[in-house]
């Protein structure tokens, strides 16, 4: 692909050529709140429309029984830093970028979000990340790049990291 169309084409498709739009710094935070409302509504609807989904199934994040400081750092990097960068480049970068060459925004966003949900491997998690992906696709469309989506994705994963790993250390047990 690079040899045929050039590096600038690949960078454009990935959504990394445009610099972050700093005047929209608030947008990932606002969309996080909207995503929380939307995913809650989707979970309630799924209880009635998709009763086979076990909404209490715990997601295996790959880090269990961590106790040492370096393990918390590794878990943070493995859950909060690496996935938002890699997944945004793959899904809202490459996949959405390529689909947008042939389809309009919403059909492309639905396909990308369905694939993103599917690769997360659990129905309950897939539904949640499907909804998240719709917001991430919106950010890609709105800003023309993946940077704001990386911020929202990192914010979402960072909050989850806090409640999974740090909260229990300080007596906050919501999960």
């Amino acid at each position: 692909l690079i040899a045929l169309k050039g590096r600038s084409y690949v960078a454009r498709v990935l959504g990394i050529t445009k610099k972050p739009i700093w005047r929209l710094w608030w947008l990932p935070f606002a969309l996080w709140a909207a995503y929380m409302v939307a995913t809650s509504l989707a979970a309630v609807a799924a209880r009635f429309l998709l009763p086979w989904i076990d909404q209490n199934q715990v997601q295996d994040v790959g880090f269990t029984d961590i106790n040492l400081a370096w393990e918390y750092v590794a878990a943070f990097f493995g859950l909060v830093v690496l996935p938002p960068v890699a997944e945004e480049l793959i899904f809202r970068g490459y996949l959405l970028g390529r689909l947008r060459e042939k389809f309009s925004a919403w059909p492309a966003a639905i396909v990308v979000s369905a694939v993103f949900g599917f690769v997360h491997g659990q129905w309950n998690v897939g539904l949640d990340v499907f909804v998240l992906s719709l917001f991430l696709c919106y950010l890609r469309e709105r800003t023309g790049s993946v940077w704001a989506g990386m911020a929202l994705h990192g914010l979402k994963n960072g909050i989850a990291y806090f409640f999974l790993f740090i909260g229990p250390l300080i007596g906050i047990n919501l999960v």
Side-chain angles (χ1 to χ4, degrees), residues 5-39:
K5 295 196 176 191
R7 289 179 192 251
S8 63
Y9 167 77
V10 173
R12 186 177 45 77
V13 166
L14 289 177
I16 59 174
T17 56
K18 291 186 177 182
K19 293 181 179 172
I21 302 171
W22 295 112
R23 64 182 163 76
L24 296 177
W25 65 268
W26 56 271
L27 193 54
F29 297 100
L31 287 181
W32 177 81
Y35 149 72
M36 290 303 293
V37 170
T39 198

Side-chain angles (χ1 to χ4, degrees), residues 128-147:
D128 174 61
V129 298
F130 173 84
V131 173
L132 174 65
S133 181
L134 292 174
F135 286 93
L136 296 170
C137 289
Y138 169 77
L139 279 173
R140 168 72 196 269
E141 287 292 318
R142 178 78 159 49
T143 65
S145 74
V146 294
W147 306 119

Side-chain angles (χ1 to χ4, degrees), residues 45-60:
R47 285 205 186 273
F48 299 105
L49 301 173
L50 308 169
W52 64 86
I53 294 178
D54 179 6
Q55 294 192 3
N56 296 318
Q57 183 180 10
V58 177
Q59 181 180 10
D60 180 11

Side-chain angles (χ1 to χ4, degrees), residues 106-117:
W106 280 111
I110 289 169
V111 168
V112 167
S113 299
V115 172
F116 189 60

Side-chain angles (χ1 to χ4, degrees), residues 67-126:
N67 298 303
L68 303 174
W70 73 267
E71 293 173 319
Y72 284 95
V73 172
F76 182 84
F77 183 78
L79 298 171
V80 180
V81 177
L82 187 60
V85 172
E87 291 175 350
E88 291 314 303
L89 287 173
I90 293 167
F91 292 97
R92 267 64 59 187
Y94 182 77
L95 186 56
L96 184 63
R98 291 302 304 266
L99 287 173
R100 285 293 283 124
E101 292 174 347
K102 299 188 185 304
F103 303 102
S104 63
W106 280 111
I110 289 169
V111 168
V112 167
S113 299
V115 172
F116 189 60
F118 177 77
V119 300
H120 278 78
Q122 293 175 223
W123 280 101
N124 62 336
V125 175

